[in-house]
Amino acid sequence: MIYSMTAYARKEVKSEWGSAIWEIRSVNQRYLETYFRLPEQFRGIEPVLRERFRKRLARGKVECSLRFEANPAASTELSINTALAEQVIKAAEQVMHMTGELSRINPFQVMQWPGVMETAEQDMDTINKDLLSAFDDALSEFIEARGREGENMKALIEARLNAITDEVVKVRARMPEILDWQRERLTSKFEDAKVELDPSRVEQELILLAQKSDVAEELDRLDSHVKETLNTLNKGGACGRRLDFMMQEFNRESNTLASKSISTDITASGVELKVLIEQMREQIQNIE
């Protein structure tokens, strides 16, 4: 299977600690680049996320974000730091004795002292474990989305390859007729100019002309490139760079074919080949 570098996935997870949403999106890029938008308390898991991306992806600019919302009920249970409260009360009593102003200590003022009232801390190990599990699910969905898009692009490329084969068959079938036409055209020019040439010299000129306009090698190479591209698509995996190289080879042969054109039919086929190759190249830019 081939994979697109353009995809999106979203995964929501809910638990006693609250809820979170993972979002992963990517676009084409020459290499693998990962960017993260994480709440500050989860920065510690960023290296783990980066490594998991690296193991399962080869190319693409990937953006990963996490939205986290804590469950208020999970952190509203209050407890008293008794030891600290006693120290605050004792210190307050000492100050009152020193100033001679004895009064009842306000309990709410004691509660407002930093650290006297505590809330139960959330179990970050449990939260991180749940978030990483959800991330793995999101990453799997993300890769599946890349695979589906990749299969769509594969079908489009295969259709263009079939069209290239059709053009090659068309040109190959027309070449004998075109060469005969060119022979008659050259002979007619000699006759119109009333130039008498040695038959062997005329034959030499025709042979040179045929050699210059012979596109059999280019057509054979185009056939070979079609087969190699199909093999690469069927092999799958991270094949984008190889496919891009194949497009360069296709362009080289189509340019040579166009330069040897001696008829409007060959010229039209050369133009059609360039259009088909460019359409494939646009798709291949998004293949991993």
Side-chain angles (χ1 to χ4, degrees):
M1 177 178 285
I2 66 172
Y3 295 90
S4 168
M5 287 189 283
T6 304
Y8 171 81
R10 181 181 185 275
K11 182 67 177 181
E12 183 176 2
V13 57
K14 293 182 179 180
S15 186
E16 295 178 354
W17 44 257
S19 63
I21 298 175
W22 285 106
E23 287 187 322
I24 306 175
R25 68 187 76 224
S26 69
V27 294
N28 60 326
Q29 178 75 355
R30 188 174 181 182
Y31 304 105
L32 177 62
E33 294 184 7
T34 52
Y35 300 89
F36 298 92
R37 293 199 302 271
L38 307 175
E40 195 60 36
Q41 67 266 40
F42 299 110
R43 284 292 176 186
I45 65 173
E46 183 174 324
V48 179
L49 303 177
R50 196 180 302 277
E51 179 64 16
R52 294 187 183 186
F53 274 131
R54 188 191 66 80
K55 287 182 177 180
R56 302 188 66 180
L57 304 177
R59 297 173 65 196
K61 180 179 178 181
V62 184
E63 295 182 1
C64 175
S65 64
L66 171 65
R67 287 184 287 169
F68 178 80
E69 184 175 345
N71 180 8
S75 59
T76 55
E77 183 178 344
L78 297 176
S79 61
I80 301 175
N81 187 332
T82 306
L84 179 58
E86 289 176 350
Q87 292 179 23
V88 173
I89 294 171
K90 185 176 180 180
E93 289 175 345
Q94 290 177 349
V95 171
M96 285 189 293
H97 280 294
M98 292 171 61
T99 60
E101 296 182 4
L102 299 178
S103 63
R104 184 182 177 186
I105 298 176
N106 188 333
F108 291 102
Q109 291 179 328
V110 177
M111 293 170 61
Q112 291 174 355
W113 188 266
V116 171
M117 301 304 301
E118 297 177 336
T119 58
E121 293 186 1
Q122 292 180 311
D123 186 350
M124 292 303 296
D125 289 340
T126 299
I127 296 175
N128 286 343
K129 182 179 179 181
D130 291 344
L131 290 179
L132 288 175
S133 177
F135 171 80
D136 287 338
D137 292 340
L139 181 55
S140 295
E141 292 180 9
F142 174 72
I143 293 174
E144 288 175 5
R146 284 165 66 112
R148 289 192 298 270
E149 182 64 21
E151 288 301 298
N152 291 336
M153 290 191 293
K154 178 183 177 182
L156 292 173
I157 294 171
E158 288 175 339
R160 271 63 180 181
L161 290 172
N162 291 335
I164 288 176
T165 298
D166 292 341
E167 289 298 324
V168 169
V169 171
K170 184 191 303 182
V171 172
R172 188 176 278 122
R174 287 277 292 149
M175 283 309 299
E177 181 182 343
I178 291 172
L179 291 176
D180 288 341
W181 168 80
Q182 187 68 13
R183 178 189 294 269
E184 294 176 1
R185 183 168 174 267
L186 183 61
T187 304
S188 177
K189 283 186 176 182
F190 286 149
E191 292 175 352
D192 291 343
K194 297 182 180 180
V195 175
E196 293 185 5
L197 293 176
D198 188 328
S200 62
R201 176 64 185 276
V202 174
E203 191 64 27
Q204 289 177 356
E205 291 294 329
L206 291 173
I207 291 173
L208 289 174
L209 179 62
Q211 289 176 343
K212 289 181 180 180
S213 58
D214 183 18
V215 293
E217 185 176 353
E218 286 72 23
L219 296 178
D220 289 342
R221 286 178 179 171
L222 285 170
D223 278 337
S224 176
H225 295 340
V226 168
K227 292 178 182 177
E228 180 60 27
T229 303
L230 285 172
N231 288 337
T232 302
L233 288 172
N234 291 329
K235 184 178 179 180
C239 58
R241 289 191 178 93
R242 183 170 184 80
L243 290 173
D244 189 58
F245 171 76
M246 293 306 303
M247 294 307 103
Q248 297 176 35
E249 295 300 304
F250 271 113
N251 267 319
R252 183 177 290 109
E253 302 308 327
S254 67
N255 288 335
T256 305
L257 180 67
S259 68
K260 291 184 176 181
S261 175
I262 56 175
S263 77
T264 55
D265 289 342
I266 304 299
T267 300
S269 290
V271 171
E272 181 63 18
L273 286 172
K274 287 181 177 295
V275 171
L276 293 169
I277 294 166
E278 180 60 22
Q279 289 174 345
M280 287 193 297
R281 192 192 67 81
E282 290 176 354
Q283 296 294 328
I284 288 169
Q285 295 305 307
N286 286 325
I287 292 179
E288 184 177 38

